[in-house]
PDB file of all heavy atoms in Angstrom:
ATOM      1  N   PRO Z 261       7.901  24.183  39.792  1.00  0.00           N
ATOM      2  CA  PRO Z 261       8.508  25.491  39.549  1.00  0.00           C
ATOM      3  C   PRO Z 261       9.203  26.027  40.798  1.00  0.00           C
ATOM      4  O   PRO Z 261       8.816  25.715  41.936  1.00  0.00           O
ATOM      5  CB  PRO Z 261       7.307  26.360  39.167  1.00  0.00           C
ATOM      6  CG  PRO Z 261       6.135  25.699  39.806  1.00  0.00           C
ATOM      7  CD  PRO Z 261       6.429  24.232  39.757  1.00  0.00           C
ATOM      8  N   SER Z 262      10.220  26.837  40.591  1.00  0.00           N
ATOM      9  CA  SER Z 262      10.975  27.421  41.703  1.00  0.00           C
ATOM     10  C   SER Z 262      10.310  28.680  42.232  1.00  0.00           C
ATOM     11  O   SER Z 262      10.877  29.372  43.073  1.00  0.00           O
ATOM     12  CB  SER Z 262      12.395  27.736  41.243  1.00  0.00           C
ATOM     13  OG  SER Z 262      12.378  28.641  40.146  1.00  0.00           O
ATOM     14  N   TYR Z 263       9.135  28.983  41.743  1.00  0.00           N
ATOM     15  CA  TYR Z 263       8.392  30.156  42.171  1.00  0.00           C
ATOM     16  C   TYR Z 263       6.922  29.776  42.289  1.00  0.00           C
ATOM     17  O   TYR Z 263       6.505  28.704  41.839  1.00  0.00           O
ATOM     18  CB  TYR Z 263       8.557  31.295  41.149  1.00  0.00           C
ATOM     19  CG  TYR Z 263       7.910  31.007  39.810  1.00  0.00           C
ATOM     20  CD1 TYR Z 263       6.655  31.533  39.494  1.00  0.00           C
ATOM     21  CD2 TYR Z 263       8.517  30.175  38.873  1.00  0.00           C
ATOM     22  CE1 TYR Z 263       6.035  31.244  38.284  1.00  0.00           C
ATOM     23  CE2 TYR Z 263       7.911  29.886  37.656  1.00  0.00           C
ATOM     24  CZ  TYR Z 263       6.674  30.423  37.375  1.00  0.00           C
ATOM     25  OH  TYR Z 263       6.066  30.127  36.187  1.00  0.00           O
ATOM     26  N   LYS Z 264       6.126  30.632  42.896  1.00  0.00           N
ATOM     27  CA  LYS Z 264       4.695  30.359  43.028  1.00  0.00           C
ATOM     28  C   LYS Z 264       3.961  30.931  41.826  1.00  0.00           C
ATOM     29  O   LYS Z 264       3.894  32.158  41.657  1.00  0.00           O
ATOM     30  CB  LYS Z 264       4.141  30.979  44.307  1.00  0.00           C
ATOM     31  CG  LYS Z 264       2.671  30.619  44.542  1.00  0.00           C
ATOM     32  CD  LYS Z 264       2.157  31.149  45.863  1.00  0.00           C
ATOM     33  CE  LYS Z 264       0.697  30.759  46.063  1.00  0.00           C
ATOM     34  NZ  LYS Z 264       0.165  31.243  47.356  1.00  0.00           N
ATOM     35  N   PRO Z 265       3.413  30.081  40.958  1.00  0.00           N
ATOM     36  CA  PRO Z 265       2.738  30.584  39.753  1.00  0.00           C
ATOM     37  C   PRO Z 265       1.476  31.374  40.105  1.00  0.00           C
ATOM     38  O   PRO Z 265       0.780  31.067  41.073  1.00  0.00           O
ATOM     39  CB  PRO Z 265       2.382  29.308  38.984  1.00  0.00           C
ATOM     40  CG  PRO Z 265       3.184  28.216  39.612  1.00  0.00           C
ATOM     41  CD  PRO Z 265       3.406  28.618  41.019  1.00  0.00           C
ATOM     42  N   GLU Z 266       1.194  32.363  39.296  1.00  0.00           N
ATOM     43  CA  GLU Z 266      -0.032  33.128  39.437  1.00  0.00           C
ATOM     44  C   GLU Z 266      -1.127  32.448  38.616  1.00  0.00           C
ATOM     45  O   GLU Z 266      -0.972  32.246  37.415  1.00  0.00           O
ATOM     46  CB  GLU Z 266       0.171  34.562  38.938  1.00  0.00           C
ATOM     47  CG  GLU Z 266      -1.066  35.434  39.054  1.00  0.00           C
ATOM     48  CD  GLU Z 266      -0.884  36.825  38.479  1.00  0.00           C
ATOM     49  OE1 GLU Z 266       0.174  37.061  37.841  1.00  0.00           O
ATOM     50  OE2 GLU Z 266      -1.779  37.666  38.649  1.00  0.00           O
ATOM     51  N   ILE Z 267      -2.214  32.095  39.268  1.00  0.00           N
ATOM     52  CA  ILE Z 267      -3.340  31.434  38.602  1.00  0.00           C
ATOM     53  C   ILE Z 267      -4.508  32.407  38.551  1.00  0.00           C
ATOM     54  O   ILE Z 267      -4.942  32.925  39.582  1.00  0.00           O
ATOM     55  CB  ILE Z 267      -3.738  30.140  39.323  1.00  0.00           C
ATOM     56  CG1 ILE Z 267      -2.545  29.163  39.360  1.00  0.00           C
ATOM     57  CG2 ILE Z 267      -4.941  29.492  38.648  1.00  0.00           C
ATOM     58  CD1 ILE Z 267      -2.795  27.924  40.197  1.00  0.00           C
ATOM     59  N   ILE Z 268      -5.014  32.657  37.351  1.00  0.00           N
ATOM     60  CA  ILE Z 268      -6.089  33.622  37.150  1.00  0.00           C
ATOM     61  C   ILE Z 268      -7.292  32.918  36.535  1.00  0.00           C
ATOM     62  O   ILE Z 268      -7.165  32.249  35.508  1.00  0.00           O
ATOM     63  CB  ILE Z 268      -5.638  34.776  36.235  1.00  0.00           C
ATOM     64  CG1 ILE Z 268      -4.462  35.528  36.881  1.00  0.00           C
ATOM     65  CG2 ILE Z 268      -6.791  35.730  35.958  1.00  0.00           C
ATOM     66  CD1 ILE Z 268      -3.858  36.587  35.986  1.00  0.00           C
ATOM     67  N   HIS Z 269      -8.436  33.064  37.168  1.00  0.00           N
ATOM     68  CA  HIS Z 269      -9.679  32.486  36.645  1.00  0.00           C
ATOM     69  C   HIS Z 269     -10.421  33.538  35.831  1.00  0.00           C
ATOM     70  O   HIS Z 269     -10.603  34.682  36.281  1.00  0.00           O
ATOM     71  CB  HIS Z 269     -10.556  31.982  37.791  1.00  0.00           C
ATOM     72  CG  HIS Z 269     -10.006  30.778  38.476  1.00  0.00           C
ATOM     73  ND1 HIS Z 269     -10.439  29.500  38.189  1.00  0.00           N
ATOM     74  CD2 HIS Z 269      -9.044  30.650  39.415  1.00  0.00           C
ATOM     75  CE1 HIS Z 269      -9.768  28.634  38.938  1.00  0.00           C
ATOM     76  NE2 HIS Z 269      -8.923  29.310  39.692  1.00  0.00           N
ATOM     77  N   LEU Z 270     -10.843  33.159  34.644  1.00  0.00           N
ATOM     78  CA  LEU Z 270     -11.552  34.057  33.741  1.00  0.00           C
ATOM     79  C   LEU Z 270     -12.911  33.469  33.368  1.00  0.00           C
ATOM     80  O   LEU Z 270     -13.191  32.290  33.633  1.00  0.00           O
ATOM     81  CB  LEU Z 270     -10.728  34.282  32.464  1.00  0.00           C
ATOM     82  CG  LEU Z 270      -9.352  34.925  32.635  1.00  0.00           C
ATOM     83  CD1 LEU Z 270      -8.622  34.939  31.292  1.00  0.00           C
ATOM     84  CD2 LEU Z 270      -9.466  36.325  33.197  1.00  0.00           C
ATOM     85  N   GLU Z 271     -13.725  34.277  32.722  1.00  0.00           N
ATOM     86  CA  GLU Z 271     -15.000  33.792  32.213  1.00  0.00           C
ATOM     87  C   GLU Z 271     -14.760  32.709  31.155  1.00  0.00           C
ATOM     88  O   GLU Z 271     -13.710  32.691  30.500  1.00  0.00           O
ATOM     89  CB  GLU Z 271     -15.780  34.941  31.574  1.00  0.00           C
ATOM     90  CG  GLU Z 271     -16.313  35.960  32.576  1.00  0.00           C
ATOM     91  CD  GLU Z 271     -17.347  35.356  33.511  1.00  0.00           C
ATOM     92  OE1 GLU Z 271     -18.271  34.685  33.002  1.00  0.00           O
ATOM     93  OE2 GLU Z 271     -17.228  35.545  34.734  1.00  0.00           O
ATOM     94  N   PRO Z 272     -15.711  31.787  30.956  1.00  0.00           N
ATOM     95  CA  PRO Z 272     -15.544  30.787  29.892  1.00  0.00           C
ATOM     96  C   PRO Z 272     -15.365  31.463  28.541  1.00  0.00           C
ATOM     97  O   PRO Z 272     -15.870  32.560  28.314  1.00  0.00           O
ATOM     98  CB  PRO Z 272     -16.856  30.003  29.941  1.00  0.00           C
ATOM     99  CG  PRO Z 272     -17.399  30.226  31.311  1.00  0.00           C
ATOM    100  CD  PRO Z 272     -16.970  31.616  31.699  1.00  0.00           C
ATOM    101  N   ARG Z 273     -14.648  30.798  27.656  1.00  0.00           N
ATOM    102  CA  ARG Z 273     -14.518  31.302  26.295  1.00  0.00           C
ATOM    103  C   ARG Z 273     -15.886  31.230  25.600  1.00  0.00           C
ATOM    104  O   ARG Z 273     -16.712  30.391  25.952  1.00  0.00           O
ATOM    105  CB  ARG Z 273     -13.476  30.479  25.529  1.00  0.00           C
ATOM    106  CG  ARG Z 273     -12.056  30.711  26.003  1.00  0.00           C
ATOM    107  CD  ARG Z 273     -11.078  29.731  25.406  1.00  0.00           C
ATOM    108  NE  ARG Z 273     -11.302  28.379  25.899  1.00  0.00           N
ATOM    109  CZ  ARG Z 273     -10.482  27.351  25.663  1.00  0.00           C
ATOM    110  NH1 ARG Z 273      -9.397  27.536  24.944  1.00  0.00           N
ATOM    111  NH2 ARG Z 273     -10.758  26.155  26.139  1.00  0.00           N
TER     112      ARG Z 273
END
Side-chain angles (χ1 to χ4, degrees):
S262 59
Y263 67 99
K264 185 176 181 179
E266 180 184 8
I267 301 173
I268 299 174
H269 290 261
L270 299 174
E271 289 295 311
R273 290 170 292 189

